[in-house]
């Protein structure tokens, strides 16, 4: 799979998620779990909180940052995936560094949107989530319900009373 196909595959996998009334931390954990499950379903070796090529800022520069999920593939470049609610400059810098090191960089952004496109070669996967009272919900796109076909009620329109007697 090329980079765009990987991003599309992950987007389709995440598109099946539904959740209601979750905290910010719960949504992030749910998405990280789903990203890891996607990687496993593809036959990849999956690593959570994998070491990044980017060192931490001072005074911890001797340590390295981490990515939320990394996937090793038998054929193809490794994949790194970050999951974020916010548009963070540090995440963009980290993913650009990962791409520069030869990895496929995917960024899962979630929230109410809109989502600004990151610079290439970072591939953006969006997960639009409704927010109400600091709680987050995502319902899958469901088809509209089927209504009664004409003729089921004898083909005649039915008047409904405006007030109860």
């Amino acid at each position: 799979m090329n980079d765009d196909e990987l991003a599309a595959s992950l987007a389709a996998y995440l598109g099946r998620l539904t959740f209601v009334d979750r905290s910010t931390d719960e949504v992030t954990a749910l998405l990280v779990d789903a990203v890891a499950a996607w990687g496993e379903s593809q036959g990849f070796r999956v690593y959570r909180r994998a070491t990044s090529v980017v060192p931490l800022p001072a005074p911890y520069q001797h340590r390295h940052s981490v990515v939320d999920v990394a996937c090793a593939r038998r054929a193809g470049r490794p994949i790194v995936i970050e999951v974020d609610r916010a548009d963070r400059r540090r995440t963009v810098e980290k993913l650009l560094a990962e791409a520069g090191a030869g990895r496929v960089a995917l960024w899962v952004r979630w929230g109410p949107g809109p989502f600004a496109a990151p610079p290439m070669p970072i591939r953006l996967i969006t997960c639009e989530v409704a927010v109400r009272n600091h709680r987050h919900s995502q319902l899958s796109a469901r088809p509209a319900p089927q209504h009664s076909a004409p003729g089921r009620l004898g083909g005649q329109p039915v008047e409904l009373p405006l007030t109860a007697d």
Side-chain angles (χ1 to χ4, degrees):
M1 269 192 254
N2 68 36
D3 298 1
D4 292 327
E5 292 169 333
L6 285 167
S9 173
L10 179 54
Y13 193 92
L14 295 178
R16 296 190 303 251
L17 283 179
T18 60
F19 51 87
V20 176
D21 200 31
R22 300 284 181 110
S23 71
T24 299
D25 290 343
E26 288 172 328
V27 173
T28 298
L30 179 73
L31 288 170
V32 169
D33 288 347
V35 167
W38 167 79
E40 290 167 355
S41 76
Q42 300 295 313
F44 305 151
R45 283 189 321 257
V46 175
Y47 304 92
R48 293 169 184 255
R49 297 195 47 79
T51 302
S52 171
V53 297
V54 177
L56 290 171
Y60 303 105
Q61 64 271 18
H62 61 285
R63 296 184 185 160
H64 283 263
S65 182
V66 295
V67 294
D68 292 318
V69 178
C71 300
R73 307 185 283 167
R74 288 180 192 255
R77 298 176 294 142
I79 305 163
V80 294
I81 304 123
E82 282 287 284
V83 177
D84 283 314
R85 182 177 64 128
D87 186 8
R88 298 178 33 203
R89 184 176 55 89
R90 178 129 172 95
T91 299
V92 171
E93 291 169 357
K94 184 191 312 183
L95 288 172
L96 286 173
E98 293 291 338
R103 295 169 177 91
V104 177
L106 304 178
W107 192 11
V108 176
R109 287 280 318 279
W110 68 271
F115 304 101
M120 289 302 281
I122 300 169
R123 300 308 197 275
L124 180 66
I125 296 103
T126 61
C127 182
E128 288 202 37
V129 173
V131 181
R132 184 174 178 196
N133 297 326
H134 304 287
R135 304 295 287 181
H136 309 281
S137 300
Q138 160 133 8
L139 301 175
S140 64
R142 296 181 185 162
Q146 285 191 337
H147 297 285
S148 301
R152 256 183 101 170
L153 299 174
Q156 300 299 317
V158 176
E159 286 219 20
L160 299 175
L162 296 176
T163 59
D165 289 329

